[in-house]
């Protein structure tokens, strides 16, 4: 079991507590097994543990195993979106996509709101409420809600929900909880972290979790325009993140994904296509870079002049990238009818009801030193 988790992880604190009280080591394993099964909601439900130990854990850490409570469920064709409330009152959304091939993929949030202000995104229009803790992040995957709905644990998990994952240093502990065999035990290759280019923690990610799949949001190959779409460009230029991923691809031989949100009459011109193709060809291992083209979705709080291109236009953009020798596909999207698609999460809850937002927890603001 990886012992690098910080004490911010509740599961690490529980393990330390059991050791300090003299509980046998296998008791923690029994607790984790119950957690992995996604059926136990409270310590009292873990009947493999002695009653006295269950009572002690409930007294020390509260009665519940999970720090999230589902408040509302919305369903669309092949998609389920759950609004969770944390124990501190923050609200986040989690989306599960059900593929006809028989497997499920989960899109989880890393922050309540987001402070980066990307102009295509409803979450960015809300602003940052706070970072999620490792346990809040992982609880989205492990919560008994899914078992009650008759769903298996998802085959894959993507940090593509609310927030910029790499702006939250607690994501690293969450990744350990998800992928360590002593905790959730998911394959790292089935976990994707999406970022708009938070470069310092991107470098940390490829170093500490090299088998995790990475998606870097590009959205424009032109610096000035990208800065209007993704303001973080002014702090951490796209070129810096691409350099990090160049080295990562060469070392790990892992495929890297470049997300490109296609917006009508904004970034869908012939010049954009040519520059995007050139950006890929400039990589040291261009065959390991794959462009995922996403049709823009209307989102609350997004730039009012943004419009979705026609479906034909998206397909043609992908086709012409392929003709230029770029590996490219169109990302399949579900859930636009319930604001569950890319860029749409959490707009109506916080924008319409700002009183539900928890105050910013200064202890959870990113603590990793950042230098532009």
């Amino acid at each position: 079991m990886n012992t690098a988790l910080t004490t911010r992880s509740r599961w690490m604190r529980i393990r330390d507590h059991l050791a300090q009280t003299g509980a046998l080591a296998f008791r923690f394993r029994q607790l984790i097994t119950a957690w992995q099964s996604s059926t136990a909601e409270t310590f009292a439900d873990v009947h493999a543990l002695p009653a006295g130990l269950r009572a002690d854990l409930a007294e020390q850490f509260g009665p519940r195993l999970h720090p999230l409570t589902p408040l509302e469920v919305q369903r669309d064709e092949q998609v389920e979106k759950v609004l969770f409330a944390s124990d501190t009152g923050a609200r986040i959304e989690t989306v599960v996509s059900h593929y006809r091939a028989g497997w499920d993929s989960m899109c989880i949030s890393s922050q309540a709101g987001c402070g980066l202000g990307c102009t295509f995104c409803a979450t960015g229009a809300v602003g940052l409420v706070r970072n999620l803790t490792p346990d809040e992040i992982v609880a989205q995957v492990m919560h008994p809600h899914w078992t009650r709905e008759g769903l298996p644990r998802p085959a894959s998990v993507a940090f593509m929900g609310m927030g910029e994952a790499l702006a939250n240093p607690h994501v690293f502990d969450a990744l350990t909880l998800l992928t360590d065999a002593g905790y959730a035990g998911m394959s790292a290759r089935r976990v994707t972290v999406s970022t708009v280019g938070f470069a310092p923690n991107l470098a940390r990610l490829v170093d500490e979790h090299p088998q995790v799949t990475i998606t870097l949001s590009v959205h424009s190959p032109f610096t000035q325009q990208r800065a209007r779409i993704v303001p973080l460009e002014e702090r951490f230029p796209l070129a810096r993140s691409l350099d990090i991923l160049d080295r990562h691809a060469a070392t790990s031989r892992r495929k890297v994904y470049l997300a490109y949100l296609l917006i009508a009459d904004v970034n869908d011109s012939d010049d954009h296509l040519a520059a995007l193709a050139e950006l890929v060809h400039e990589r040291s291992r261009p065959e390991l870079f794959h462009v995922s083209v996403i049709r823009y979705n209307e989102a609350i709080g997004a730039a009012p002049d943004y419009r979705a291109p026609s479906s034909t236009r998206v397909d043609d953009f992908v086709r012409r990238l392929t003709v230029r020798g770029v590996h490219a596909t169109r990302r399949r999207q579900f859930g636009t009818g319930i604001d569950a698609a890319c860029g749409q999460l959490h707009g109506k809850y916080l924008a319409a009801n700002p009183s539900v937002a928890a105050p910013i927890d200064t202890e959870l603001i990113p603590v990793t030193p950042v230098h532009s």
Side-chain angles (χ1 to χ4, degrees), residues 96-363:
V96 175
S97 297
H98 309 294
Y99 291 88
R100 300 193 190 282
W103 58 282
D104 297 327
S105 178
M106 184 178 288
C107 181
I108 64 175
S109 297
S110 55
Q111 297 177 313
C114 182
L116 298 190
C118 295
T119 54
F120 59 86
C121 182
T123 311
V126 170
L128 179 66
V129 179
R130 67 168 173 85
N131 287 329
L132 300 184
T133 68
D135 304 294
E136 289 169 334
I137 294 169
V138 176
Q140 295 170 74
V141 180
M142 307 299 289
H143 200 281
H145 167 79
W146 311 113
T147 305
R148 289 196 299 268
E149 294 292 315
L151 300 176
R153 185 181 301 177
S156 62
V157 170
F159 285 73
M160 293 183 177
M162 295 170 50
E164 162 57 45
L166 294 184
N168 179 357
H170 303 317
V171 160
F172 294 95
D173 282 357
L175 286 169
T176 300
L177 285 170
L178 284 172
T179 61
D180 192 294
Y183 294 96
M186 292 190 67
S187 167
R189 291 181 175 231
R190 303 299 299 176
V191 177
T192 297
V193 174
S194 179
T195 178
V196 296
F198 203 92
N201 280 349
L202 178 60
R204 180 182 171 187
L205 177 68
V206 301
D207 179 54
E208 296 184 11
H209 297 276
Q211 294 304 305
V212 165
T213 299
I214 298 171
T215 294
L216 174 65
S217 295
V218 176
H219 305 334
S220 176
F222 302 124
T223 299
Q224 290 185 348
Q225 184 185 47
R226 186 174 189 269
R228 291 193 294 272
I229 299 172
V230 181
L232 192 67
E233 168 71 21
E234 295 184 354
R235 190 177 183 191
F236 303 126
L238 177 65
R240 181 173 171 183
S241 293
L242 287 172
D243 286 344
I244 293 168
L245 294 179
D246 256 355
R247 295 190 293 273
H248 170 63
T251 301
S252 69
R253 300 183 181 179
R254 295 278 287 137
K255 184 180 290 186
V256 172
Y257 291 85
L258 303 179
Y260 196 86
L261 186 69
L262 203 65
I263 307 170
D265 301 321
V266 173
N267 64 352
D268 62 343
S269 71
D270 292 345
D271 288 343
H272 285 88
L273 187 142
L276 177 61
E278 182 61 25
L279 181 148
V280 174
H281 287 307
E282 289 173 348
R283 302 304 102 214
S284 60
R285 294 290 302 274
E287 74 279 7
L288 292 177
F289 284 76
H290 185 106
V291 178
S292 181
V293 180
I294 310 161
R295 187 186 186 196
Y296 171 72
N297 301 296
E298 292 187 8
I300 297 171
D305 57 332
Y306 286 179
R307 297 288 182 271
S310 69
S311 183
T312 301
R313 178 67 171 166
V314 179
D315 290 338
D316 182 62
F317 196 90
V318 172
R319 181 189 61 80
R320 290 190 293 148
L321 281 174
T322 304
V323 168
R324 289 176 176 266
V326 174
H327 296 297
T329 53
R330 177 176 178 175
R331 182 184 294 175
R332 297 177 62 190
Q333 293 196 90
F334 308 117
T336 55
I338 57 171
D339 291 335
C342 178
Q344 294 183 320
L345 289 185
H346 213 57
K348 72 176 184 180
Y349 295 107
L350 282 183
N353 302 291
S355 62
V356 303
I360 293 178
D361 185 343
T362 55
E363 290 187 358

